[in-house]
Amino acid sequence: MLETVRRQRRAAALAYPQMTLAVPVVIEGAGLHSGKTIRMTLRPADADHGVVFRRIDLEGGRDASDIRARHDNVIDTTMSTVIGNAAGARVGTIEHLMAALSGLRIDNALIEIDGAEVPVLDGSAEVFIERIEAAGLMALDAPRRAIRILKPVVVEDGAKRAALLPGDGFRLAFEIDFDNPVIGRQAIEADLYDPCFADDILHARTFGFLKDQEALKAVGLGQGASLDNAIVIDGENILNEEGLRYEDEFVRHKVLDAVGDLSLSGLPLLGRYEGARSGHAMNNRVLRALMADETAWEVTDFVETSASMYAAERGLSALTAD
């Protein structure tokens, strides 16, 4: 009986190999906060390499330039997620790219970048996904591993709440409530491993309020923000001529951000995330809290047992909204 279980576990692991890019992908664009033009090359990497950013504009070798995309390397969460290393190198606004890699199940990549911020492109993960899919993915000769959540971990700050809970697959539930008639209260739940997740969630754009623009620029943020890379709200109006991609695009983008932030666990998560009025800071806090409690998680073979498998077999969607 024990040997049968072991064979099943090995078969499951082999069924889900680690993934990387088939060929390098070059992406260039402006940074949302810096406004500077940045060139980035996503390169294939070996099994167990993980996702590493390399600042090719800096001197001093890899110790100075390399930053592993991990929760414990997050150094700032003001309006984006920023990672850094002991030498002072940093890369910001990584969450949209990380969400794309997570959604495409890419475990290993070397990201060479000539500046301190990932290009914002259209404000979503759509362009990253399109470019990577066009280049193709490559399976590696190593099993995909995952972090299974074993018990609830919750962090709260006033009305803000973020929780990581046990569960199958990886589902995300999010609720926002803005004192603005364009947004108001929105809630959604989605399954990361649903085949439609990229179309349903990862195309949702970041957003901001026109009234905050000058204050942000005064502190060095939002220098590259425009109607081409963000939904801009002015009172009761959306200034983008094309309008919204989804009626509830705002909460969908918050889920996108959460996927990118939580991918800094270093391995895929198996369980459930719940966020209420949460953001980059709360996402990082709950992930740090999870990893700090070694009784709350275990490393296991990556096996999909989520509702998305049931839904995919029956042509259903695993996304719900209210």
Side-chain angles (χ1 to χ4, degrees), residues 53 55 58-68 73 75 83-91:
F53 288 81
R55 287 284 303 275
L58 302 179
E59 298 180 353
R62 294 182 182 179
D63 288 342
S65 64
D66 284 11
I67 313 169
R68 187 167 295 278
N73 284 333
I75 59 172
I83 55 174
N85 64 19
R90 55 192 283 149
V91 178

Side-chain angles (χ1 to χ4, degrees), residues 134-296:
L137 308 182
M138 181 173 67
L140 299 169
D141 187 20
R144 194 177 204 218
R145 305 286 279 167
I147 294 170
R148 183 183 303 281
I149 300 168
L150 300 178
K151 68 180 187 181
V153 175
V154 182
V155 296
E156 295 179 319
D157 182 2
K160 300 176 182 178
R161 178 180 184 271
L164 288 169
L165 312 168
D168 292 332
F170 193 62
R171 293 190 67 84
L172 302 100
F174 213 108
E175 177 183 334
I176 59 175
D177 193 354
F178 282 78
D179 185 18
N180 177 276
V182 175
I183 304 178
R185 179 188 176 276
Q186 297 181 1
I188 199 167
E189 182 166 334
D191 190 322
L192 177 60
Y193 302 124
D194 186 295
C196 297
F197 187 85
D199 291 334
D200 289 338
I201 299 297
L202 298 184
H203 293 182
R205 296 162 294 173
T206 192
F207 59 93
F209 298 91
L210 185 64
K211 64 182 178 63
D212 298 332
Q213 183 177 11
E214 292 305 317
L216 289 172
K217 288 189 175 181
V219 296
L221 299 173
Q223 307 293 324
S226 73
L227 294 174
D228 293 327
N229 56 41
I231 304 167
V232 180
I233 304 161
D234 183 15
E236 299 182 2
N237 301 306
I238 294 173
L239 300 185
N240 307 68
E241 289 186 9
E242 71 276 20
L244 298 176
R245 293 178 178 176
Y246 317 91
E247 184 178 349
D248 57 352
E249 187 168 1
F250 308 101
V251 72
R252 293 182 190 230
H253 185 79
K254 298 293 281 187
V255 173
L256 183 160
D257 280 344
V259 169
D261 291 340
L262 296 174
S263 72
L264 299 182
S265 57
L267 293 173
L269 294 174
L270 296 176
R272 176 181 174 86
Y273 165 85
E274 294 179 355
R277 301 170 178 83
S278 182
H280 301 301
M282 294 293 286
N283 294 338
N284 187 247
R285 278 184 58 190
V286 74
L287 189 54
R288 285 177 182 259
L290 173 75
M291 302 309 296
D293 184 353
E294 294 185 359
T295 69

